[in-house]
């Protein structure tokens, strides 16, 4: 078991290192040029294996019809409710709705927990649950990441729906980015770009 945990810890460390490199140098990085010059790495909680879950997806609670989530700039974005998952965090039951991206099929879990606004990004964070061969989902909060709007206001991002706002602190994954930049007031501000999910795979 100790070896498995070491392998898991190394996998998370490798993932975070790749993200830092993406943010620092990739053409699709969400950071503005001046932010890249100052970039020293994203900020994370220590890895907590207890916040990695393998769960059943309650597909009966899902729908084939899209719903529209609000975004940080007001334009709604369509997602398919895939169903609900249920886990226990800090001794409390937590129920969250998992969505699928329209046209792509990838699972998407936007959520806002009790750390939002203090330790993590005010609006909330995202997760991309992975489906196993048996149909269960891997929901690993150590892989939780910020929407691109957490870095600057060049982006428009889906907002976690009310049913995914929980009063439990989920201290895993990415923390609040310390070098947020607002460009909206600048005459040279670039246009808004819609975040469609993760771009740093």
């Amino acid at each position: 078991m100790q070896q498995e945990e070491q392998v898991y810890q190394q996998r998370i460390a490798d993932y975070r290192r790749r993200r830092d490199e993406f943010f620092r140098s990739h053409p699709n990085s969400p950071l503005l040029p001046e932010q890249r010059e100052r970039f020293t790495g994203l900020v994370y909680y220590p890895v907590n294996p207890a916040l990695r879950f393998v769960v059943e997806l309650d597909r009966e609670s899902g729908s084939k019809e899209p719903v529209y989530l609000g975004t940080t700039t007001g334009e709604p974005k369509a997602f398919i409710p895939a169903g609900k998952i249920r886990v226990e965090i800090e001794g409390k039951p937590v129920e969250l709705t998992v969505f699928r991206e329209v046209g792509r099929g990838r699972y998407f879990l936007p959520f806002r927990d009790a750390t939002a606004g203090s330790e993590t990004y005010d609006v909330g964070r995202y997760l991309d649950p992975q489906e196993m061969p048996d149909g269960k989902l891997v929901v690993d909060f150590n892989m939780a990441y910020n929407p691109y709007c957490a870095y600057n206001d060049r982006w428009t991002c889906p907002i976690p729906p009310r049913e995914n706002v929980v009063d439990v602190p989920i201290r895993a994954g990415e923390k609040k980015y310390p070098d947020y930049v607002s460009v909206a007031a600048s005459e040279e501000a670039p246009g808004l770009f819609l975040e469609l999910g993760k771009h740093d795979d």
Side-chain angles (χ1 to χ4, degrees):
M1 184 64 70
Q2 184 176 5
Q3 184 176 1
E4 289 181 6
E5 185 169 331
Q6 289 176 348
V7 170
Y8 174 70
Q9 294 269 2
Q10 186 59 53
R11 183 159 59 85
I12 298 294
D14 291 343
Y15 163 76
R16 293 177 176 180
R17 186 169 55 252
R18 290 194 303 271
R19 275 178 62 79
D20 278 353
E21 183 57 33
F22 174 87
F23 273 69
R24 182 180 296 109
S25 59
H26 197 281
N28 291 334
S29 169
L31 300 183
L32 300 171
E34 60 267 31
Q35 288 178 296
R36 294 194 203 187
E37 292 179 5
R38 298 188 295 264
F39 183 72
T40 59
L42 300 174
V43 185
Y44 294 96
Y45 288 103
V47 178
N48 183 355
L51 290 174
R52 178 186 184 274
F53 302 93
V54 179
V55 295
E56 297 280 359
L57 176 63
D58 178 10
R59 291 177 169 82
E60 293 298 318
S61 62
S63 171
K64 294 183 179 179
E65 297 299 319
V67 297
Y68 290 86
L69 302 186
T71 67
T72 50
T73 52
E75 304 89 346
K77 178 171 168 52
F79 290 90
I80 304 294
K84 295 183 181 296
I85 60 164
R86 298 170 182 89
V87 298
E88 186 175 294
I89 299 175
E90 298 284 328
K92 296 182 179 180
V94 172
E95 181 178 87
L96 297 165
T97 298
V98 177
F99 299 89
R100 282 188 181 272
E101 292 187 17
V102 175
R104 301 181 75 184
R106 184 169 58 185
Y107 288 110
F108 175 61
L109 175 53
F111 69 96
R112 187 180 191 273
D113 68 285
T115 67
S118 55
E119 301 170 21
T120 61
Y121 179 49
D122 305 41
V123 174
R125 292 179 289 166
Y126 297 165
L127 255 182
D128 299 328
Q130 303 299 307
E131 188 170 19
M132 300 179 69
D134 62 2
K136 292 182 179 180
L137 296 187
V138 177
V139 179
D140 188 349
F141 288 98
N142 294 289
M143 306 287 279
Y145 60 95
N146 287 332
Y148 280 4
C149 300
Y151 310 112
N152 57 66
D153 56 5
R154 179 188 179 194
W155 302 90
T156 178
C157 307
I159 298 172
R162 182 171 297 178
E163 67 262 32
N164 282 6
V165 177
V166 299
D167 60 1
V168 178
I170 303 178
R171 293 188 169 93
E174 189 174 351
K175 292 184 176 183
K176 181 180 291 189
Y177 189 63
D179 186 27
Y180 177 86
V181 171
S182 175
V183 297
S186 170
E187 294 182 359
E188 298 180 358
L192 288 171
F193 294 88
L194 177 66
E195 178 178 8
L196 299 177
K198 286 178 65 178
H199 302 268
D200 52 330
D201 296 330

